Amino acid sequence: MALGFLGGLAAALVLGSTSVLAAQTSPADDEAAAARAAMKEWMSASPEYARLQLDLVKAQAGLAVRIERLVVIGARCELLSEEDGQLIIANARAEMEFGRSVLFEDQQADFALYYEGLRKGAFIAADPGMPRPDECEDFARPGGTLVKLLTWTGRRQFISPGVVASPRTIP
């Protein structure tokens, strides 16, 4: 039973991440629809998969909110263009939205409340004022938050000279 669960988990994670990439980078909507259908079938077969998917989407929501907050900091430090900021936020939300799209209706309603609370809490807790100059310097240091955030634009970024950062690095 445990081996089957882990195998299904691995398949769901691989299929889920692959189809997000396909949905974002290719016009092949059929692939995304097929991935959604397969994930819904797995979720219908086991409540454990459905709970796991909800947990995965909640984690993606946390990352999307974190990225959104970091974009605000980068913009206030005048280190990110508006265009890059919008692209970064859109890409982070797209990953979350694909996962959300396979949730059952009751899970989607629960997730909507969770996401709304998460965003409100994150932005209330964050200081909306201007960052101090040392905070902006730390944000922009080589291999730091700015470079990791810019990996979400889809363009190559370098952690250090000659070392390419992984795409969509978690900042």
Side-chain angles (χ1 to χ4, degrees), residues 115-165:
Y115 182 59
E116 181 182 340
L118 187 66
R119 285 192 79 237
K120 283 182 180 177
F123 285 97
I124 288 171
D127 179 19
M130 290 300 292
R132 295 186 320 264
D134 61 323
E135 290 175 319
C136 291
E137 288 174 22
D138 187 48
F139 190 87
R141 72 178 161 73
T145 305
L146 179 61
V147 169
K148 292 174 184 174
L149 201 55
L150 286 170
T151 63
W152 286 78
T153 62
R155 295 186 300 268
R156 276 180 22 165
Q157 301 297 319
F158 292 89
I159 295 287
S160 60
V163 179
V164 178

Side-chain angles (χ1 to χ4, degrees), residues 11 17-19 29-30 44 82 85 101-102 104 106 118-119 122 130 134 154 157 163:
S17 63
T18 303
S19 54
D29 290 334
D30 293 341
S44 293
E82 183 177 335
S101 72
V102 300
F104 297 125
D106 61 326
L118 187 66
R119 285 192 79 237
M130 290 300 292
D134 61 323
Q157 301 297 319
V163 179

Side-chain angles (χ1 to χ4, degrees), residues 37-87:
M39 290 181 73
K40 281 200 179 245
E41 185 177 323
W42 285 334
M43 290 171 52
S44 293
S46 170
E48 294 157 346
Y49 294 141
R51 281 192 302 275
L52 180 65
Q53 181 63 25
L54 180 58
D55 289 344
L56 177 64
V57 175
K58 284 181 175 180
Q60 290 170 328
L63 178 60
V65 168
R66 175 183 168 88
I67 286 172
E68 194 172 340
R69 280 189 55 233
L70 291 173
V71 164
V72 169
I73 293 168
R76 287 187 176 152
C77 288
E78 298 180 357
L79 298 170
L80 275 177
S81 69
E82 183 177 335
E83 180 181 299
D84 281 347
Q86 289 175 352
L87 179 60

